[in-house]
Amino acid sequence: MKDTVNRPDRVLIIDDQNTMLTIYSKILKDLGVTHIDTASTGTVGVRKYLTDCPNLVLLDIKMPGKSGLDVIDEIRAIDIDANIVMLTSVATRDTVIQCLRKGAKNYLVKTDSVTETKERLKGIFNKLDFHRNYYYRKGRQSA
């Protein structure tokens, strides 16, 4: 039977912890994502968003320097339809609400098991439209 899971083809992971970059990269590869890029700061992440044109961003909330909440604003100023999923160690209700109000589409809890994270990502993938920002991405890639 053919795998019919909706999935992004280009993902950018922005997190200041190399361990998290490695873990989420492996999980995404296991789920069939073909192109994964990483950034360890918000500034580099925004720059890579401009050059790589991902159709999904996994974004850490708490980072030194530019926080994930700042990065949401910058990415959405570039691409209002950006698919951003927040990464958090502690998913308090207030934090989640704040991220969703800023434009994040969902969140993942870093302390979840790999199996839980994969299942949660599959659910998130199936709810997001990875073609919504198609024209923005195509315009950026041809520029």
Side-chain angles (χ1 to χ4, degrees):
M1 178 184 260
K2 188 178 179 198
D3 182 9
T4 58
V5 174
N6 182 45
R7 76 174 62 85
D9 58 348
R10 302 176 80 77
V11 177
L12 173 61
I13 308 166
I14 307 171
D15 196 305
D16 61 312
Q17 298 175 4
N18 285 333
T19 305
M20 291 293 107
L21 295 173
T22 302
I23 290 169
Y24 282 101
S25 292
K26 169 105 175 67
I27 289 170
L28 290 165
K29 284 179 188 171
D30 289 350
L31 293 175
V33 176
T34 56
H35 182 87
I36 301 162
D37 201 359
T38 62
S40 57
T41 69
T43 301
V44 172
V46 172
R47 193 173 324 124
K48 285 189 175 190
Y49 190 87
L50 284 166
T51 58
D52 199 37
C53 304
N55 51 6
L56 177 66
V57 176
L58 301 184
L59 175 60
D60 187 18
I61 294 173
K62 293 191 179 186
M63 295 183 288
K66 195 175 288 195
S67 77
L69 295 173
D70 296 330
V71 174
I72 289 176
D73 291 339
E74 289 188 38
I75 289 175
R76 292 198 71 233
I78 297 164
D79 178 8
I80 194 70
D81 289 329
N83 289 313
I84 301 170
V85 174
M86 301 308 292
L87 302 174
T88 182
S89 297
V90 182
T92 66
R93 185 171 187 252
D94 290 342
T95 302
V96 170
I97 288 170
Q98 188 177 12
C99 292
L100 295 174
R101 282 187 177 150
K102 287 230 177 223
K105 306 285 173 111
N106 216 315
Y107 70 97
L108 295 170
V109 180
K110 291 180 179 184
T111 55
D112 284 350
S113 72
V114 170
T115 303
E116 289 172 314
T117 301
K118 283 181 181 179
E119 288 307 309
R120 190 132 160 75
L121 274 169
K122 285 179 191 176
I124 290 169
F125 289 176
N126 284 323
K127 289 179 183 174
L128 294 179
D129 181 355
F130 297 115
H131 301 289
R132 260 181 89 162
N133 60 357
Y134 174 80
Y135 295 106
Y136 163 78
R137 291 175 40 229
K138 282 303 194 191
R140 292 293 308 162
Q141 289 170 341
S142 64

